[in-house]
Amino acid sequence: MKLTGRRESSNVEDRRGLSAGKAAAGGGILAVIIGIVMSLIGGGGSGGSGIDLGQVIGAVTQGGGLGSVFGGQTEEVDPTQFSEEEQELATVCKQILGSTEDVWTKVFKDYNLPNNMSGKSGTYTNPTLVLFTNSVQSACGSATASVGPFYCSGDQKLYIDLSFFTQMKRQLGVEGSTFAYAYVIAHEIGHHVEFLTGSLTKAHEQMSNLNKTKANQVSVRLELLADYYAGVWAHYEDQMNHSMEYGDLEKGLELAHAIGDDWLQKQAQGRAVEESFTHGTSEQRKRWLKKGFQTGDMKTSTFQISDYNDL
């Protein structure tokens, strides 16, 4: 994926190397997390090192009225304390975020999509990317890097520890694939689009009235919709900038396969338990990412959250 010379978003909070501070009052460990809990691929579990890939791409979180928990930053990040590789990753993340801003601003306008945050249809509200090290505070509570990248609707921010991408390269074989990194970010932005258009709030309301198995099914729909929106972003990004290169989509699909619930569970425990799925199977994740990329369709993409039969 070609990003050379592209602008970097300014909607970024760089908290790397800073202390996460005290947890927000009543926050605990992420107020609401939708994700599978399992051992780290390659040996680790909760006590191991590295990223918990069982919760890779997509701990969807919803704020519980905790308010701002990380204002008044007085420390400044010294970029010289980070490796060249990490600084390059930070730049790529900012460029990808900038692209999502450009694409979704256009898509919201072209499709006159609702914005439940601003109340103005056809307008897109930019989220903020937070880069952190080891642990972080959000309006949804406190989290560690083991959660993986996540979006918090309580503050409309997506959170990423860049070590996730390093681990992703080593364990999932996506070395040199900028689009694989983009897919991670675009998926979390997909949850932001869900929040703006109302799907995320609707889903959380439904989940609060369902048993665990049914709630998991709603979670799967949210994750697959975010995958679809990641594909929609890539569709228009390529249309606007001709940035997709040969093999990019295939790398994204490989990553989507590697983070399917069935594949992850089989790797961790030798079998898959369908009723515990929260993100979708490998085949489902690949299908919806590819469908979004091929069609770019925002007229019929928002399938009914309550209907589980068309996945």
Side-chain angles (χ1 to χ4, degrees), residues 185-245:
I185 295 172
H187 174 98
E188 300 307 331
I189 294 294
H191 289 310
H192 180 63
V193 173
E194 291 173 343
F195 173 68
L196 295 180
T197 57
S199 296
L200 190 63
T201 301
K202 177 181 177 182
H204 285 151
E205 290 173 350
Q206 290 183 349
M207 293 173 72
S208 66
N209 296 312
L210 296 172
N211 62 35
K212 185 175 182 180
T213 298
K214 292 292 185 180
N216 285 346
Q217 292 177 357
V218 176
S219 172
V220 167
R221 299 196 69 80
L222 281 174
E223 296 302 327
L224 296 182
L225 184 56
D227 281 340
Y228 181 88
Y229 286 159
V232 169
W233 162 76
H235 173 94
Y236 290 106
E237 157 60 31
D238 188 51
Q239 189 179 90
M240 293 164 65
N241 300 293
H242 306 290
S243 55
M244 295 289 285
E245 299 179 291

Side-chain angles (χ1 to χ4, degrees), residues 135-158:
S135 61
V136 71
Q137 293 275 11
S138 78
C140 300
S142 59
T144 65
S146 62
V147 170
F150 68 94
Y151 171 74
C152 175
S153 61
D155 53 20
Q156 295 86 57
K157 296 178 181 180
L158 53 150

Side-chain angles (χ1 to χ4, degrees), residues 63-251:
L66 299 178
S68 176
V69 295
F70 210 91
Q73 190 64 256
T74 56
E75 298 178 89
E76 293 185 1
V77 174
D78 177 10
T80 62
Q81 66 182 297
F82 305 114
S83 68
E84 182 178 350
E85 178 187 23
E86 181 166 338
Q87 287 300 89
E88 289 176 355
L89 283 173
T91 296
V92 167
C93 287
K94 294 173 185 178
Q95 289 174 322
I96 294 169
L97 183 65
S99 168
T100 65
E101 293 167 351
D102 296 340
V103 167
W104 284 112
T105 294
K106 183 179 188 303
V107 171
F108 266 66
K109 180 180 179 180
D110 290 349
Y111 284 88
N112 196 34
L113 296 178
N115 183 328
N116 290 334
M117 182 177 173
S118 70
K120 298 179 180 178
S121 294
T123 63
Y124 177 68
T125 303
N126 294 329
T128 297
L129 169 64
V130 178
L131 303 177
F132 71 95
T133 304
N134 298 326
S135 61
V136 71
Q137 293 275 11
S138 78
C140 300
S142 59
T144 65
S146 62
V147 170
F150 68 94
Y151 171 74
C152 175
S153 61
D155 53 20
Q156 295 86 57
K157 296 178 181 180
L158 53 150
Y159 295 79
I160 298 176
D161 183 322
L162 292 175
S163 65
F164 171 83
F165 289 124
T166 302
Q167 199 78 4
M168 190 175 79
K169 286 195 301 183
R170 293 171 181 168
Q171 299 201 14
L172 299 182
V174 293
E175 182 77 36
S177 176
T178 302
F179 182 68
Y181 305 146
Y183 169 37
V184 173
I185 295 172
H187 174 98
E188 300 307 331
I189 294 294
H191 289 310
H192 180 63
V193 173
E194 291 173 343
F195 173 68
L196 295 180
T197 57
S199 296
L200 190 63
T201 301
K202 177 181 177 182
H204 285 151
E205 290 173 350
Q206 290 183 349
M207 293 173 72
S208 66
N209 296 312
L210 296 172
N211 62 35
K212 185 175 182 180
T213 298
K214 292 292 185 180
N216 285 346
Q217 292 177 357
V218 176
S219 172
V220 167
R221 299 196 69 80
L222 281 174
E223 296 302 327
L224 296 182
L225 184 56
D227 281 340
Y228 181 88
Y229 286 159
V232 169
W233 162 76
H235 173 94
Y236 290 106
E237 157 60 31
D238 188 51
Q239 189 179 90
M240 293 164 65
N241 300 293
H242 306 290
S243 55
M244 295 289 285
E245 299 179 291
Y246 179 79
D248 278 345
L249 179 60
E250 286 69 24
K251 279 293 184 181

Side-chain angles (χ1 to χ4, degrees), residues 2-35:
K2 296 178 290 186
L3 292 174
T4 303
R6 299 288 291 277
R7 76 172 183 88
E8 300 177 25
S9 171
S10 60
N11 295 305
V12 178
E13 294 179 16
D14 195 341
R15 304 183 194 171
R16 291 176 297 162
L18 303 180
S19 171
K22 298 179 179 179
I29 183 71
L30 281 184
V32 177
I33 276 194
I34 303 169

